[in-house]
Amino acid sequence: MTLTWQRLRDLKRSEFEDAGDGWHEVSGRADADRGKVDRAMTAKLRETQKSDAAEAALKRLERLSRNFQYVHTEAGLIRTALNGLASELAGPQQQLRQALEDARNLKFTVHEDGSVSYPAAAGETLLGKKEEPGGTAPGSARLPLEAPPLTEKPGLPGGGFNPNPNAAKAQAIADRIARAVRSAADIDGRYAQALSKLKAAGGLDVTRATLEDVFRDTDAVRTVAGRYLGDGIPEDKSPAERKKWWDGLTDEQRQEYVTVVPDLVGGLDGIPSAVRDEANRNHLPVLIDKLESQGGDDAQTKLAALRGIEAKLNEPSKVPMYLLGIGDEGNGRAIVAYGNPDTSRNVSAYVPGLGTKLDGEFVDDTLKRGLDTAKGAQKYDESSAAIVWLGYDAPNFATVVSTSNAEEGAPAYNQFMAGLGATNEHKDPHLTAIGHSYGSLAVGTAAQQDGGIPGADDIILLGSPGTGVDRAEDLGVGKDHVFVGAADNDPVTKLPSGQQSGVGLVAAWPLGGYIAGDIADQGDDDLYFGKDPASVAFGARRFEVDDGPRPILELGGFDAHSNYFSPERDAVSARNIAKIVAGAPESILTAERR
């Protein structure tokens, strides 16, 4: 049915919203029923029954759960599409009604085809004023930059000048009417196409392949409704303001964001951790699908890492895992928490350093550091969580001489820390910033921003080549709250400044069989990025760590630089880190400063 200006004028957008609410009820009931199947039936059957019959029953329950999941998602997408349609039609409907009101005030007549008749009036001609007859202006939906029809002379609809002053006014109103109808028709067509794709599988026999099709359905709805949802996100606001915005949404609106535009809220600081986790888990398969279609080593490296993270998310764990951020930009992004950062009294956020990127090493080694920290801290206070924050591009060997990576990452880290404070349910949570290797420079740079690191009570620097400051008190938390772990055989903690070595940092790095003593800071306390954090002059609290193996590449390599978090390889250091994170630094084992 062709959309006319009369239908657009009389359109009751609330009917779309009411229909959307109905679909939301369907979606909510399906989600609740899926929860009952999974928790009350499947889980108990798996725990209590071991037989072929039980296995057959479990398969049927799994199928039922998938059916409910499918209904939940598809019904939610329909609601979002209907709400988006109602929202977007508001603009052209208001434009039309304003044009009709202007016509009424001028006593013009709007005809069924949208043309506008106007009365006679005195007009200016070369011979002076004379009475010009009235007429009718046909509307044109052509936008200003669109080429006119071949039958129309350039610049003037209709091809000529009418001296009747009412003619131009009528033409403008007719054009506004035509453009409003055209805009509404375009919107209606886009949403109709998206809604036509949201069809249930025959007999609701939902297979895993059908669930994969949900991603395409979601993408279709996102294409048409993404602007409607995205326009409402306060991206330029503080994390506290974003939390206030989120708290003001209805449950239905929140679910729309999580389901349809998960990438827009999954990394939004100030949004509850459980919500970010759900959104990022929804977005993860989309990222994987995107990278699968790309070639090149970089895409394949990130793809393998994302699959590794997905596998970890699906593994049972005594310390729950939260995916607080994920992305493929730059060297890759991943923010992973072990323990809920919103319900824990103690929360640490660790920034990894040189060479860290979204790859297999990050999944297997870097994430383990976060898990080890959480498990260790929970021995001293169960209400503890630990986060691995790869929210910036850590440098590689070629770029490690620069501070630019730290300078670019510092504002993002501070935003994240502010978000932790905004969403934590405790009045005054204990937050610890941890920087390892080049990550300690990123943390130090963040501490030098206006206001310092939001909410940070303690700072831990591990294997640091310097923080960009010469004194612990310059990091904004008080020198007694700055803790340093520096293994004597960790070459990174002894890198000389460029002035001392006479060469760049890369050239000074212990390669080709050099030992630390060959390049170490001989009696001075200046490192490449400032004063040695383990020095007396810096003034921080140095804690005991294992010296680690000598950094001869053939024997120990950089092991001493990578052992700080590991209870297997450096139990003393891991235990000290855990105590600080848990808010019990009084019992750490201290070491003599350099």
Side-chain angles (χ1 to χ4, degrees):
M1 186 180 295
T2 303
L3 179 64
T4 65
W5 68 262
Q6 295 93 333
R7 294 190 67 202
L8 178 58
R9 176 197 60 193
D10 299 334
L11 178 69
K12 293 182 174 59
R13 292 183 294 107
S14 60
E15 293 180 352
F16 291 124
E17 295 169 344
D18 291 343
D21 290 343
W23 282 105
H24 172 70
E25 290 181 14
V26 173
S27 177
R29 286 199 300 270
D31 189 44
D33 290 340
R34 180 171 67 94
K36 292 176 182 177
V37 169
D38 292 345
R39 292 189 299 271
M41 301 172 69
T42 302
K44 289 186 178 180
L45 182 60
R46 184 173 284 115
E47 291 173 1
T48 60
Q49 303 294 322
K50 301 293 182 183
S51 66
D52 291 342
E55 287 300 317
L58 284 171
K59 289 182 179 180
R60 294 179 67 84
L61 287 172
E62 182 181 345
R63 173 183 171 182
L64 181 59
S65 178
R66 290 201 304 268
N67 288 348
F68 281 133
Q69 180 184 351
Y70 181 78
V71 173
H72 163 65
T73 303
E74 294 287 303
L77 291 175
I78 293 172
R79 179 197 187 273
T80 299
L82 291 171
N83 280 352
L85 176 60
S87 175
E88 289 200 46
L89 285 176
Q93 186 181 56
Q94 178 58 33
Q95 294 163 15
L96 170 66
R97 289 176 173 174
Q98 186 61 57
L100 295 175
E101 183 178 348
D102 291 346
R104 188 163 49 251
N105 291 337
L106 291 169
K107 296 182 171 48
F108 292 173
T109 301
V110 180
H111 300 284
E112 287 190 8
D113 63 357
S115 60
V116 178
S117 294
Y118 54 91
E124 291 284 351
T125 68
L126 294 176
L127 301 176
K129 286 188 177 182
K130 62 176 287 191
E131 186 76 6
E132 296 293 339
T136 299
S140 171
R142 178 170 57 84
L143 298 174
L145 296 181
E146 286 183 319
L150 295 177
T151 57
E152 183 179 306
K153 293 183 180 179
L156 291 173
F161 170 74
N162 191 326
N164 186 332
N166 288 326
K169 296 176 183 178
Q171 186 64 61
I173 291 173
D175 289 349
R176 286 160 59 195
I177 292 172
R179 288 170 187 165
V181 173
R182 171 184 170 175
S183 177
D186 289 344
I187 293 168
D188 180 62
R190 287 190 288 109
Y191 277 92
Q193 185 177 19
L195 284 165
S196 69
K197 297 179 180 179
L198 305 179
K199 296 179 180 179
L204 277 184
D205 182 13
V206 181
T207 64
R208 293 195 180 278
T210 309
L211 290 179
E212 290 177 4
D213 190 57
V214 169
F215 297 132
R216 286 186 285 273
D217 292 344
T218 301
D219 186 61
V221 173
R222 177 197 169 94
T223 300
V224 296
R227 183 174 61 185
Y228 142 69
L229 291 171
D231 287 347
I233 298 176
E235 293 184 358
D236 57 344
K237 301 295 183 181
S238 69
E241 290 172 306
R242 292 171 185 163
K243 182 179 185 300
K244 184 178 180 181
W245 164 76
W246 184 262
D247 290 345
L249 299 177
T250 64
D251 290 340
E252 300 96 305
Q253 289 171 322
R254 294 172 188 158
Q255 194 58 45
E256 283 180 346
Y257 281 106
V258 170
T259 302
V260 180
V261 286
D263 55 315
L264 298 186
V265 295
L268 201 62
D269 300 319
I271 302 300
S273 295
V275 174
R276 292 177 68 165
D277 177 63
E278 182 182 358
N280 287 311
R281 287 175 189 247
N282 287 343
H283 186 52
L284 185 55
V286 177
L287 271 179
I288 290 175
D289 185 63
K290 172 186 173 183
L291 291 172
E292 282 178 340
S293 64
Q294 297 179 7
D297 293 341
D298 181 64
Q300 294 306 305
T301 296
K302 292 173 181 174
L303 175 61
L306 292 179
R307 286 174 173 160
I309 291 174
E310 185 179 49
K312 286 185 178 293
L313 289 168
N314 293 328
E315 293 173 357
S317 174
K318 292 183 179 180
V319 182
M321 185 176 174
Y322 292 81
L323 188 59
L324 304 183
I326 197 72
D328 63 344
E329 59 267 35
N331 292 332
R333 300 288 186 268
I335 305 173
V336 177
Y338 290 94
N340 189 334
D342 294 348
T343 60
S344 299
R345 280 189 299 270
N346 308 294
V347 183
S348 66
Y350 147 56
V351 184
L354 176 68
T356 307
K357 59 182 180 179
L358 194 59
D359 60 7
E361 184 177 351
F362 176 83
V363 175
D364 296 333
D365 297 333
T366 308
L367 288 184
K368 185 179 183 300
R369 295 173 184 174
L371 178 59
D372 285 339
T373 301
K375 291 166 68 175
Q378 288 176 4
K379 292 178 181 178
Y380 302 99
D381 187 339
E382 291 184 355
S383 185
S384 298
I387 299 167
V388 177
W389 187 85
L390 184 59
Y392 81 127
D393 279 334
N396 54 33
F397 278 99
T399 60
V400 70
V401 296
S402 172
T403 61
S404 60
N405 296 76
E407 291 164 356
E408 292 170 3
Y413 183 71
N414 280 348
Q415 278 278 302
F416 178 75
M417 294 295 282
L420 291 180
T423 58
N424 193 283
E425 66 181 27
H426 296 275
K427 184 177 181 181
D428 186 22
H430 173 241
L431 303 183
T432 303
I434 303 177
H436 173 238
S437 187
Y438 187 94
S440 65
L441 177 63
V443 168
T445 305
Q448 296 173 67
Q449 305 286 304
D450 289 343
I453 300 175
D457 298 287
D458 295 305
I459 292 176
I460 301 176
L461 308 171
L462 302 166
S464 176
T467 64
V469 301
D470 290 333
R471 300 177 302 174
E473 59 195 65
D474 294 334
L475 295 178
V477 295
K479 65 179 183 179
D480 291 337
H481 291 273
V482 179
F483 301 87
V484 176
D488 281 342
N489 287 330
D490 179 353
V492 178
T493 71
K494 296 185 176 183
L495 286 173
S497 66
Q499 290 78 10
Q500 292 169 325
S501 66
V503 295
L505 180 57
V506 175
W509 207 272
L511 297 175
Y514 288 115
I515 63 172
D518 293 332
I519 63 165
D521 178 348
Q522 302 291 345
D524 206 330
D525 52 20
D526 288 324
L527 298 185
Y528 206 88
F529 295 115
K531 196 70 67 179
D532 179 4
S535 68
V536 173
F538 192 79
R541 297 172 65 182
R542 186 182 183 192
F543 57 83
E544 188 175 322
V545 303
D546 186 85
D547 288 343
R550 297 270 290 173
I552 302 175
L553 287 183
E554 291 83 355
L555 299 178
F558 288 96
D559 287 354
H561 184 60
S562 305
N563 291 346
Y564 295 103
F565 296 91
S566 174
E568 295 85 14
R569 296 193 297 270
D570 192 345
V572 176
S573 176
R575 190 160 49 244
N576 283 328
I577 293 170
K579 289 178 179 179
I580 298 167
V581 170
E586 65 280 354
S587 60
I588 65 172
L589 297 177
T590 60
E592 184 178 350
R593 290 177 289 189
R594 293 172 177 167

